[in-house]
Amino acid sequence: MSEIQSSSLTWDQVIILDQVLDEVIPIHGRGNFRTLEVKPKCIIHVVKDQLIEQGIIVKDTRLNCSTASYILASHNGISYKDLDVIFGVELPNDQEFQVVKDAVLGCLLDFLPQGVKKEKITLKTMKEAYVQKMVKVCNKHDRWSIISLSNNTGKNVELKFVNSLRRQFEFSVDSFQILLDPMLDFYSYKNVKLTQESYPVVVAESMYGDFQEAMMHLQCKLVCTRKPEEIRGGGLLKYINLLVRDFKPACEAEIKTLERCMCSRFFIDFPDIVEQQKKIESYLRNHFIGEEKSKYDYLMTLHGVVNESTVCLMGHERRQTINMITLMALKVLGQNILPNTDSVTCFYHPAPYFASDGGYPSYYATPGQPPPIFFQPHHPLYLHVPNGMV
């Protein structure tokens, strides 16, 4: 029996979609640039119209990833941060990439507050003021770009322009895409309101392949994927995020193979310890704003997976990465969980292979000072915290 890849949204899901598209999202400017107040339905409509006006073929617009998952299963505690929008476009050469970039930056000018002299503001200035990151990928299998607009609370508006993309999901629970064009068309009609008797047919698709199976994974918070060898290095970090959000492996027998595969790809894509740390820090910064306790849980979960499932590194490289993650966890713990680290003494126990034949050196606490905290990065992190410290 063939797999069903799509399904129409229910009335309740359409209402949630409308709420997401109608929510005002601030785009924070750097320096003295004022905050832009943007509704997703407005910026999507304006960007789409501008692309068409500039001769770019726009095949469709879609809501992607965690935002789509939230609309399909918000009743199940699913949440989202970034607003991921995909514009299906034709980008035959580099010139079209530049047209897309200029069109988006030009559209941002329309959202500047009244009284701002727009004619004196260049596209380069708009980029420096309101764009968090830009990514462009052109190779044999992939032709796409991302323009991510800044938001200090972690709710970035990510506009993705896709000509071709070999892998459009990492796990079944983030494989959903909701086609937005029927909603955009509905919004264009004046004096028409959404009602249960009159609302557009909106279709959701699953890039995983089997829509019903992917929905079951989402509703039950299960982690599952297909062809894990195709998942890029960042997939490991997304996997750890799911575990911290109380997702469980759909198949315990297969999860160790999946973890080994993701660890190997992570170290292929980020072979240097400095690159690894920057990638992890960036992920935490973008996905855990205001969730300081969860940062520690995330790092310790990552520590455990890397410790148990890394088979592609030399021994000293593996220990180096594990120790780096441990130190990051301790830093997060000290900054955000312990009330006053000025009164905490930390002692670093070297791993057994560094210890002398006589065993570990002796440590003592200065009389009148708080008892020390010990931790051993060669082993799952153990913290001895004096009573009343947490």
Side-chain angles (χ1 to χ4, degrees), residues 150-307:
S150 299
N151 179 282
N152 297 338
T153 64
K155 202 168 192 175
N156 298 322
V157 177
E158 295 213 336
L159 307 177
K160 193 169 189 176
F161 305 88
V162 178
N163 181 95
S164 59
L165 183 60
R166 177 173 54 176
R167 177 90 182 193
Q168 298 194 50
F169 72 100
E170 292 170 323
F171 304 97
S172 60
V173 295
D174 66 3
S175 69
F176 298 101
Q177 295 182 1
I178 296 175
L179 277 74
L180 295 177
D181 298 284
M183 286 294 283
L184 297 179
D185 292 340
F186 188 87
Y187 290 140
S188 67
Y189 299 127
K190 295 182 178 180
N191 301 321
V192 177
K193 294 184 178 181
L194 283 173
T195 66
Q196 194 164 358
E197 291 73 33
S198 176
Y199 66 92
V201 176
V202 181
V203 174
E205 298 179 352
S206 171
M207 302 300 105
Y208 175 76
D210 189 327
F211 186 92
Q212 295 303 325
E213 183 178 330
M215 274 299 297
M216 184 271 290
H217 293 160
L218 182 62
Q219 291 166 347
C220 298
K221 290 192 170 184
L222 299 176
V223 180
C224 187
T225 192
R226 292 179 175 176
K227 297 182 179 180
E229 68 279 1
E230 294 181 357
I231 300 177
R232 298 183 65 84
L236 172 65
L237 305 184
K238 175 62 178 287
Y239 168 69
I240 302 300
N241 196 354
L242 291 174
L243 296 183
V244 171
R245 310 288 181 191
D246 297 324
F247 283 74
K248 306 295 181 185
C251 179
E252 292 287 351
E254 297 177 359
I255 200 61
K256 290 303 177 185
T257 300
L258 174 62
E259 288 180 352
R260 286 194 293 270
C261 186
M262 289 189 296
C263 284
S264 296
R265 186 58 193 260
F266 180 80
F267 292 116
I268 290 171
D269 289 354
F270 309 102
D272 180 77
I273 188 73
V274 175
E275 291 181 83
Q276 294 165 20
Q277 183 166 343
K278 285 182 178 179
K279 182 64 178 178
I280 296 170
E281 288 174 343
S282 174
Y283 194 90
L284 289 174
R285 189 163 54 249
N286 291 329
H287 294 84
F288 287 87
I289 291 179
E291 300 180 76
E292 304 308 323
K293 174 62 170 62
S294 295
K295 286 183 181 179
Y296 174 76
D297 296 338
Y298 180 93
L299 289 166
M300 293 317 301
T301 304
L302 177 63
H303 177 283
V305 171
V306 171
N307 187 41

Side-chain angles (χ1 to χ4, degrees), residues 43 58 83 94 245:
I43 193 168
V58 181
L83 187 90
D94 285 348
R245 310 288 181 191

